[in-house]
């Protein structure tokens, strides 16, 4: 017990330095009818951004933003004329504005606004977490780990991917500034969860859509994680990270006129100290080691244009030895050495006559060297030896035009191109294979106000894969109705297509696109301090890939259920908490499944409770996160075919603690962070591996470290955000 309590680890820190380095400006005001009556439920947003708020019962509102320069406040309330207010935001500004509404709306200035009550867009319907939400949630500070506390996501501890509503991890795609990230996580051995290569501090918001997303995105059967990167900060800053296993430094330079910034970071991580204090559940011959460097540049162009570049390069290595699941007295040595590169360039600009343009380009490369050796424990004789390389590169280009039409609609249309090159090299057998796919997509979508209370979104997406020589057409639509209390009811339908996983296309290239039909009914009500959302959903899977008796698209499945989300920042003074619950009924027949069955990555019941409080007198934030999942099925070869996947693991319980203390270290802004996962020491089992030679022998799949403890110091030079955190109550 003493060891893990004194330990100092957890890659939680990979995210913190970015989020604590930016400043904020505040826009406060009151919304009234003809300067007399306060109005509740009015939506006030900064045009062209996702920064906004909803007026409270007394008409008051507050917006936190990092935007600078000349901007426009767009204000909307059903039954009243829209209001547009020009403002100018300066460094550290605290602006006060008065929003005066008059009767009857005659024009829609912005269909995509912050308040979900007035739109059917993705980012208004999904659950949004800011960087501080992720970092102060008692988890490992990883983006995907924090999102597992939200409805729809499964508690899959043996993988770093997001498993959503009965879908596999590959059915969720991550998008940064409109572009798909092909390798979001580090490479790792099977059964060992890997972390994201991107800290949440890079992003001003994480938008998690658990289904029914826009036609502007594709190739994801289940969901999308949409990440928008930070814009230009208020002032220059530098960061330093100090932990026993991780050292990092970063800089962000802003020019005097605030129109451009550039910077980068270097980070080195070696988990040897944590494993010396806390023995892991498996034998590591090479402890996980990471070295990363990033560079970014941002440039404002004119009054409304923004050019962004982000690039990263890194390497990681890990080696483990495990008992062979199939043969007694045999062990497997597995080692992975990986290098990766990622670049992202985007440009946004307001054009003449109400047009807006977006253009984006990204390229990434991932290069893995894998070695597997099986040997007998009694003689060390090698019974199997393989060395292989897997190289992949992914290129994407995307272009979108947007225009407001007929004063009540917004039209989006564009195209994208994806190139995916893969190469597999067997070093000892001197075998080399390669495959290339060019995927082309066209899309069009419109957001429309049919009446003051009724909004609609209708979209169509076309895709063609050169490798498969197949095409698909995916219609999508949603209809939203806003009630007088500013709540909204939305019905959504969509067809979603995805290429089979690349490891399957290596076996057979002329497979069909897999398909899922989404049917979703959502009710949501939100204001600045409260958020309630519930969803009923049904997914119909078609043309899933089966591998038995041969490779074909005869697989099928379904997923249905209900989800609840409640967040409250006001009822209990100083507390911020959210509660979630998901019920999932799902079955599928795919890969080598003997029949239609509940898959191994799906639990019927999941729930979470996140509670955070900032103690201003102690300058300390304390957070608790409890997650629960009912047992998941696992394959037991001793069962007959009719009882396929009928066994289930024990229920999953995890109580995590996070403590963040803000010490005063001269003129710096510093945070001392302690996090502990599974503080109650609950046993956690993700499944079992059975021996093929002796089916009575099995090995439990468990967390690498349980519990997991981290202590680290993060120092920022240049921006002190103590008051912001205290006032925002984290």
């Amino acid at each position: 017990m003493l060891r893990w309590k004194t330990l100092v680890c957890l890659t939680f820190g990979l995210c913190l330095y970015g989020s604590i380095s930016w400043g904020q400006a505040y826009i406060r005001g009151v919304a009234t009818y003809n300067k007399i009556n306060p109005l509740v439920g009015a939506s006030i947003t900064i045009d062209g951004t996702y920064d906004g708020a909803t007026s409270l019962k007394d008409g008051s509102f507050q917006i936190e933003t990092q935007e600078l320069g000349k901007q426009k406040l767009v204000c909307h309330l059903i039954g009243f004329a829209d209001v547009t207010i020009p403002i100018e935001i300066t460094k550290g500004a605290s602006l006060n504005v008065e929003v005066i509404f008059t009767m009857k709306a005659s024009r829609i200035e912005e269909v995509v606004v912050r308040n979900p009550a007035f739109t059917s867009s993705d980012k208004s319907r999904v659950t949004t977490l800011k960087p501080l939400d992720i970092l102060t949630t008692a988890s490992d500070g990883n983006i995907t780990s924090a999102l597992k506390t939200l409805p729809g996501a499964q508690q899959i501890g043996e993988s770093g991917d997001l498993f959503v509503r009965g879908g596999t991890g590959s059915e969720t795609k991550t998008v940064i500034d409109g572009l798909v990230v092909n390798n979001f996580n580090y490479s790792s051995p099977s059964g060992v969860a890997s972390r994201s290569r991107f800290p949440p501090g890079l992003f001003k918001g994480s938008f998690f859509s658990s289904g029914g997303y826009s036609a502007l995105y594709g190739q994801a059967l289940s969901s999308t994680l949409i990440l928008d990167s930070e814009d230009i900060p208020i002032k220059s800053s530098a960061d330093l990270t100090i932990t026993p296993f991780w050292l990092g430094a970063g800089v962000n330079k802003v020019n005097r006129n605030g129109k451009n910034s550039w910077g980068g970071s270097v980070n080195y991580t070696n988990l040897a100290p944590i494993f010396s204090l806390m023995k892991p559940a498996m034998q590591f011959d090479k402890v996980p080691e990471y070295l990363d460097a990033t560079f970014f540049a941002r440039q404002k162009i004119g009054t409304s244009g923004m050019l962004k570049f982000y690039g990263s390069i890194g390497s990681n290595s890990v080696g483990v030895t495990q008992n062979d699941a199939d043969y007694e007295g045999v062990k497997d040595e597995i080692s992975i050495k990986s290098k990766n590169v990622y670049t992202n360039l985007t440009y946004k600009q307001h054009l003449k006559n109400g047009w807006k343009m977006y253009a984006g380009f990204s390229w990434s490369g991932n290069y893995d060297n894998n070695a597997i050796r099986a040997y007998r424990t009694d003689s060390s004789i090698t019974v199997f030896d393989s060395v292989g390389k897997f190289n992949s590169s992914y290129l994407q280009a995307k272009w979108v035009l947007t225009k407001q039409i007929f004063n009540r609609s917004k039209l989006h249309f564009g195209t994208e191109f994806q190139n995916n090159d893969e190469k597999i090299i067997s070093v000892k057998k001197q075998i080399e294979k390669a495959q290339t796919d060019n995927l082309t997509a066209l899309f069009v979508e419109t957001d429309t106000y049919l009446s003051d209370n009724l909004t609609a979104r209708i979209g169509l997406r076309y895709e063609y894969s050169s490798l498969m020589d197949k095409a698909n057409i995916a219609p999508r639509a949603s209809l939203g109705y806003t009630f007088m209390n500013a709540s909204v009811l939305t019905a959504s339908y969509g067809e979603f297509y995805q290429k089979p996983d690349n490891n399957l296309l290596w076996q057979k290239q002329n497979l069909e696109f897999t398909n899922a039909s989404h049917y979703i009914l959502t009710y949501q009500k939100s204001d600045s301090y409260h958020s309630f959302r519930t969803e009923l959903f049904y997914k119909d899977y078609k043309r899933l890939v089966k591998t038995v008796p041969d490779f074909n698209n005869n697989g099928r499945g379904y997923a249905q259920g209900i989800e609840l989300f409640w967040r409250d920042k006001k009822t209990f003074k100083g507390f911020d908490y959210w509660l979630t619950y998901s019920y999932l009924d799902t079955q599928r027949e795919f890969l080598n499944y003997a029949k239609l069955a509940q898959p191994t990555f799906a639990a019927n019941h999941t729930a979470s409770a996140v509670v955070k409080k900032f103690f201003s007198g102690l300058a300390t934030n304390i957070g608790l996160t409890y997650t629960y999942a009912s047992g998941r099925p696992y394959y037991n070869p001793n069962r007959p075919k009719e009882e396929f996947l009928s066994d289930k693991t024990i229920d999953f319980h995890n109580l995590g603690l996070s403590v963040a203390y803000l010490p005063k270290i001269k003129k710096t802004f510093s945070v001392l962070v302690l996090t502990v996962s599974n503080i109650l020491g609950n046993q956690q089992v993700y499944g079992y591996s059975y021996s093929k030679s002796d089916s009575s022998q099995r090995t439990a799949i468990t967390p690498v470290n349980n519990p997991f403890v981290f202590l680290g110091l993060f120092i920022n030079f240049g921006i002190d955000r103590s008051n912001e955190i205290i006032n925002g109550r984290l």
Side-chain angles (χ1 to χ4, degrees):
M1 296 288 289
L2 181 61
R3 284 189 172 184
W4 67 259
K5 286 184 177 179
T6 59
L7 164 63
V8 248
C9 328
L10 174 48
T11 43
F12 172 87
L14 281 171
C15 328
L16 191 55
Y17 79 94
S19 101
I20 64 175
S21 60
W22 318 126
Q24 295 279 343
Y26 294 88
I27 303 170
R28 302 178 177 91
V30 177
T32 63
Y33 168 54
N34 287 339
K35 291 189 176 183
I36 301 174
N37 298 321
L39 296 174
V40 61
S43 170
I44 299 96
T45 62
I46 300 176
D47 188 34
T49 76
Y50 300 106
D51 296 337
T54 304
S55 62
L56 304 177
K57 290 183 179 180
D58 60 356
S60 64
F61 63 87
Q62 175 177 296
I63 300 172
E64 299 178 15
T65 183
Q66 296 166 359
E67 302 294 330
L68 292 176
K70 295 182 179 180
Q71 307 287 344
K72 289 191 297 183
L73 279 185
V74 178
C75 314
H76 178 81
L77 182 62
I78 288 178
F80 296 86
D82 288 351
V83 179
T84 301
I85 303 175
I87 59 174
E88 185 167 359
I89 306 174
T90 58
K91 297 180 180 179
S94 181
L95 303 180
N96 289 290
V97 298
E98 185 176 12
V99 180
I100 303 171
F101 284 95
T102 57
M103 291 299 293
K104 194 55 185 171
S106 59
R107 173 183 173 86
I108 299 300
E109 187 68 27
E110 178 68 81
V111 173
V112 182
V113 293
R114 181 73 171 227
N115 184 3
F118 307 108
T119 180
S120 54
S121 71
D122 280 342
K123 293 181 181 178
S124 63
R125 291 179 54 247
V126 303
T127 304
T128 302
L129 292 182
K130 294 183 178 180
L132 281 176
D133 292 328
I134 295 173
L135 296 170
T136 56
T137 299
S139 65
D140 59 359
N142 194 21
I143 294 177
T144 54
S145 298
L147 292 174
K148 289 179 182 179
T149 66
L150 300 180
Q154 294 284 306
Q155 296 296 329
I156 309 297
E158 67 272 32
S159 172
D161 294 332
L162 273 174
F163 293 72
V164 179
R165 289 183 176 174
T168 66
S170 63
E171 291 179 21
T172 298
K173 299 298 183 185
T174 303
V175 177
I176 295 180
D177 288 339
L179 300 168
V180 174
V181 180
N182 197 36
N183 291 292
F184 189 68
N185 296 323
Y186 290 105
S187 302
S188 68
S190 176
V192 179
S194 58
R195 289 184 53 82
S196 161
R197 294 194 284 118
F198 302 88
L202 291 173
F203 310 108
K204 56 186 174 184
S206 304
F207 306 90
F208 177 48
S209 170
S210 51
Y213 57 88
S214 165
L216 274 65
Y217 308 104
Q219 291 301 298
L221 282 188
S222 290
S223 68
T224 54
L225 171 58
I226 302 172
L227 303 172
D228 284 347
S229 67
E230 288 282 359
D231 295 324
I232 299 174
I234 292 176
K235 61 185 294 187
S236 300
S237 63
D239 300 282
L240 182 63
T241 302
I242 304 173
T243 80
F245 72 99
W246 171 44
L247 295 175
V251 64
N252 192 342
K253 176 66 176 177
V254 182
N255 74 336
R256 292 184 178 181
N257 61 16
K259 291 187 177 181
N260 65 63
S261 68
W262 60 269
S265 65
V266 177
N267 296 277
Y268 173 72
T269 304
N270 188 312
L271 296 185
I274 183 174
F275 290 160
S276 65
L277 293 174
M278 294 180 60
K279 186 177 180 180
M282 61 177 60
Q283 177 184 336
F284 281 85
D285 305 311
K286 174 67 177 69
V287 298
E289 186 177 23
Y290 308 88
L291 178 62
D292 300 280
T294 68
F295 174 79
F296 57 84
R298 305 169 181 123
Q299 174 71 53
K300 283 190 175 181
I301 299 177
T303 58
S304 61
M306 176 67 74
L307 180 68
K308 293 182 182 181
F309 172 81
Y310 174 81
S312 68
I313 182 170
S315 65
N316 69 287
S317 58
V318 61
V320 299
T321 294
Q322 302 170 323
N323 291 324
D324 192 283
D326 299 329
Y327 301 101
E328 187 176 356
V330 176
K331 286 195 172 185
D332 299 330
E333 287 183 348
I334 304 170
S335 68
I336 296 177
K337 295 182 179 179
S338 179
K339 296 180 181 179
N340 58 77
V341 181
Y342 176 78
T343 59
N344 179 309
L345 179 67
T346 62
Y347 177 58
K348 294 181 179 180
Q349 179 69 60
H350 288 249
L351 305 176
K352 295 181 179 180
N353 302 318
W355 287 91
K356 294 180 182 179
M357 184 196 73
Y358 162 89
F361 174 87
S362 68
W363 181 85
S364 62
N366 201 77
Y367 311 97
D368 291 341
N369 290 332
N370 304 324
I372 301 175
R373 173 178 173 257
Y375 65 93
R376 296 189 60 84
T377 56
D378 56 358
S379 62
S380 297
I381 295 176
T382 299
V383 295
F384 177 79
D385 194 5
S386 173
V387 178
K389 296 182 179 181
F390 178 76
N391 301 334
S392 67
S393 67
Y394 179 81
L395 178 149
Q396 183 182 15
K398 190 172 184 178
W399 176 77
V400 184
L401 278 178
T402 302
K403 180 170 174 57
Q404 185 172 304
I405 55 176
F406 305 126
N407 293 332
R408 300 186 67 84
S409 301
K410 184 156 288 189
L411 177 68
H412 316 267
F413 63 91
T415 182
E416 70 177 90
F417 172 78
Q418 301 176 20
N419 170 266
N420 193 2
D421 286 325
E422 291 187 338
K423 182 181 293 185
I424 296 177
I425 302 172
S426 178
V427 175
K428 295 198 172 184
K429 294 184 178 181
Q430 296 183 336
I431 298 175
E432 181 175 321
K433 296 181 180 180
Q435 68 177 15
T436 299
D437 182 41
N438 295 317
L439 186 117
T440 305
L442 302 171
F443 49 84
V444 60
E445 189 170 77
T446 179
D447 295 302
T448 304
Y449 271 79
L450 302 177
S451 70
D452 286 343
N453 297 78
L454 195 62
T455 63
R457 184 181 68 185
I458 301 174
L460 191 67
R461 183 180 180 89
Y462 165 84
E463 295 175 332
Y464 171 76
S465 165
S466 65
L467 179 65
M468 299 164 56
D469 193 23
K470 300 290 192 307
N472 68 71
I473 297 179
R476 298 171 194 176
S478 63
L479 192 66
Y481 183 83
T482 303
F483 298 93
M484 294 302 295
N485 64 353
S487 62
V488 63
L489 180 68
T490 305
S492 302
Y493 157 77
E495 295 293 334
F496 298 86
Y497 293 90
Q498 184 173 338
K499 296 189 304 179
D501 291 345
N502 289 335
N503 63 316
L504 300 174
L505 289 174
W506 278 104
Q507 306 298 322
K508 187 177 181 179
Q509 295 182 347
N510 62 342
L511 292 169
E512 300 280 345
F513 282 98
T514 56
N515 171 231
S517 302
H518 292 208
Y519 305 87
I520 304 171
L521 186 64
T522 307
Y523 176 81
Q524 184 166 338
K525 179 172 171 53
S526 301
D527 57 37
S528 297
Y529 298 103
H530 305 91
S531 180
F532 172 76
R533 179 167 60 89
T534 181
E535 282 194 350
L536 289 168
F537 66 90
Y538 178 79
K539 284 199 298 184
D540 182 20
Y541 285 100
K542 296 177 286 291
R543 296 202 289 273
L544 298 180
V545 177
K546 287 182 63 67
T547 58
V548 177
D550 58 8
F551 284 81
N552 59 69
N553 281 99
N554 297 331
R556 59 196 174 108
Y558 72 88
Q560 59 187 359
I562 185 172
E563 297 170 357
L564 300 170
F565 175 83
W566 166 251
R567 185 170 186 176
D568 179 8
K569 300 181 182 179
K570 188 175 183 181
T571 302
F572 305 101
K573 186 176 180 180
F575 282 89
D576 176 13
Y577 72 93
W578 66 78
L579 307 171
T580 71
Y581 170 75
S582 301
Y583 169 72
L584 174 65
D585 170 25
T586 181
Q587 291 188 333
R588 59 168 56 194
E589 181 183 0
F590 78 137
L591 301 180
N592 62 348
Y593 276 32
K595 65 171 189 173
L596 193 68
Q598 182 176 337
T600 58
F601 45 81
N604 294 119
H605 305 275
T606 56
S608 65
V610 178
V611 182
K612 295 178 285 183
K613 178 171 173 56
F614 188 82
F615 297 88
S616 56
L618 301 175
T620 300
N621 178 80
I622 298 179
L624 288 171
T625 299
Y626 170 71
T627 52
Y628 164 81
S630 57
R632 290 189 275 135
Y634 63 88
Y635 174 64
N636 184 346
N638 300 300
R639 297 284 188 182
K641 179 179 178 180
E642 55 270 19
E643 296 179 12
F644 178 70
L645 294 183
S646 60
D647 294 272
K648 290 190 177 182
T649 64
I650 59 175
D651 290 355
F652 175 87
H653 298 270
N654 186 71
L655 179 63
L657 168 71
S658 71
V659 180
Y661 170 61
L662 282 64
K664 293 292 184 180
I665 304 178
K666 294 186 177 181
K667 295 183 179 181
T668 67
F669 172 71
S670 304
V671 181
L672 183 65
V673 177
L674 168 70
T675 66
V676 186
S677 71
N678 195 19
I679 59 176
L680 300 181
N682 294 103
Q683 183 184 10
Q684 297 173 351
V685 178
Y686 304 136
Y688 294 92
S689 297
Y690 281 82
S691 171
K692 291 182 180 179
S693 58
D694 183 1
S695 60
S696 65
Q697 300 295 319
R698 70 178 188 179
T699 302
I701 303 172
T702 61
V704 174
N705 285 99
N706 192 18
F708 194 59
V709 184
F710 166 81
L711 180 66
L713 177 64
F714 306 89
I715 304 174
N716 175 265
F717 305 87
I719 299 177
D720 186 345
R721 296 179 63 217
S722 302
N723 290 332
E724 174 198 342
I725 293 179
I726 294 172
N727 294 335
R729 298 183 306 280
L730 283 177

